Amino acid sequence: MTDATDDPIIQVKNLNKWYGDFHVLKNINLEVKRQEKIVICGPSGSGKSTLIRCINRLEEHQKGKIIVDGIELTNNLKNIETIRTEVGMVFQHFNLFPHLTILDNLTLGPIWVRKTPKKQAEETAMFYLEKVKIAEQANKFPGQLSGGQQQRVAIARSLCMKPKVMLFDEPTSALDPEMVKEVLDVMVQLSEEGMTMIVVSHEMGFAKTVAQRVMLMDDGMILEENNPIDFFENPQHERTQFFLSQILH
Ligand SMILES: Nc1ncnc2c1ncn2[C@@H]1O[C@H](COP(=O)(O)OP(=O)(O)OP(=O)(O)O)[C@@H](O)[C@H]1O
Ligand SMILES: [Mg+2]
């Protein structure tokens, strides 16, 4: 497979998912090109988290197809394992292991999943901790770090697996306002380095800086999609206009 930017790395075709009787994702179609950055916003409960969790198979879908870098997501466990290493995920609440040091949080995946030798895993971990400007915290435990620092650790931890795509689920919404920028700065840097990113976020400044496309999810559907300028300045759907008026105030 080539690295041409018009070659989609993620294809979601007629995706449908139910939680019991509840139809949470309704006929979602989405193609993400290599190096593309997409921001997804929308009201609470609209299915944003569910959609991106389906893309690395943290959730199972019932209808339609998801293909990541040529691999279709099915119950094939080997495929799921491959996808999990290729698609990194950063959550709202960091999800670091509290009983492990920062360094051990970062080397766990590479050592156990990628079978990387410990010394090499530690070198890679330090490289990414430098990148997110937090190398001096390597021997502390997550509870000794601020929220912004923990989220930068979570990003570094994902990067240690050398993912091809990074998914972010509201990575700054649990942070105190003064820590939001330090995390967004890391994400902007990552986007400039060419990472393919899908980011669930209501940070408009970030969306305008990095995204090629912004989407509004509503009631399990992608209701509107556009480049950031038109999306924010000239929203077409009444639902998008209402949503944007709410996040602006
Ligand atoms: N495991 C589950 N079982 C049943 N229903 C669920 C489950 N997870 C989510 N839901 C429901 O599915 C809908 C979509 O949830 P989801 O978390 O994807 O929304 P969201 O857009 O990410 O919302 P938020 O902005 O609050 O994070 C919600 O109505 C939610 O209650
Ligand atoms: Mg969510």
Side-chain angles (χ1 to χ4, degrees), residues 2-62:
T2 68
D3 264 346
T5 49
D6 53 357
D7 160 31
I9 186 158
I10 297 174
Q11 293 168 281
V12 176
K13 295 179 186 171
N14 297 324
L15 177 69
N16 285 273
K17 175 172 175 61
W18 288 262
Y19 286 121
D21 291 339
F22 178 60
H23 198 176
V24 59
L25 296 177
K26 301 172 181 167
N27 244 24
I28 303 271
N29 286 288
L30 171 66
E31 278 202 351
V32 184
K33 296 180 186 126
R34 282 168 202 277
Q35 307 206 344
E36 194 176 19
K37 304 9 148 170
I38 290 179
V39 167
I40 300 175
C41 59
S44 180
S46 57
K48 307 178 298 293
S49 296
T50 305
L51 172 60
I52 64 167
R53 289 169 66 87
C54 281
I55 294 175
N56 72 347
R57 198 71 174 187
L58 288 176
E59 295 285 351
E60 211 177 294
H61 59 281
Q62 284 85 35

Side-chain angles (χ1 to χ4, degrees), residues 103-173:
L103 188 63
D104 289 341
N105 264 280
L106 267 67
T107 57
L108 193 68
I111 290 173
W112 291 98
V113 182
R114 289 267 201 218
K115 311 291 180 214
T116 310
K118 183 160 187 263
K119 188 165 179 297
Q120 192 188 329
E122 288 182 350
E123 280 168 16
T124 305
M126 289 312 297
F127 173 82
Y128 286 111
L129 285 176
E130 296 275 355
K131 211 176 185 46
V132 302
K133 303 185 173 67
I134 212 160
E136 72 284 1
Q137 313 284 358
N139 295 313
K140 288 193 182 167
F141 290 89
Q144 297 173 300
L145 270 56
S146 73
Q149 290 172 327
Q150 289 188 56
Q151 193 60 300
R152 285 185 281 148
V153 170
I155 294 171
R157 177 178 60 175
S158 267
L159 294 175
C160 284
M161 297 293 279
K162 309 274 168 68
K164 293 182 177 168
V165 179
M166 287 281 284
L167 309 175
F168 293 85
D169 192 357
E170 305 209 39
T172 59
S173 59

Side-chain angles (χ1 to χ4, degrees), residues 28-33 36-43 46 48 51-52 197-202 207 211-218 221-228 231-232 240 243-244:
I28 303 271
N29 286 288
L30 171 66
E31 278 202 351
V32 184
K33 296 180 186 126
E36 194 176 19
K37 304 9 148 170
I38 290 179
V39 167
I40 300 175
C41 59
S46 57
K48 307 178 298 293
L51 172 60
I52 64 167
M197 295 162 70
I198 304 181
V199 183
V200 175
S201 173
H202 297 155
Q212 279 88 49
R213 287 190 282 161
V214 184
M215 304 182 173
L216 181 98
M217 273 194 83
D218 189 32
M221 293 177 278
I222 296 175
L223 189 67
E224 179 159 357
E225 136 177 11
N226 217 328
N227 66 71
F231 183 90
F232 290 114
T240 314
F243 176 76
L244 292 177

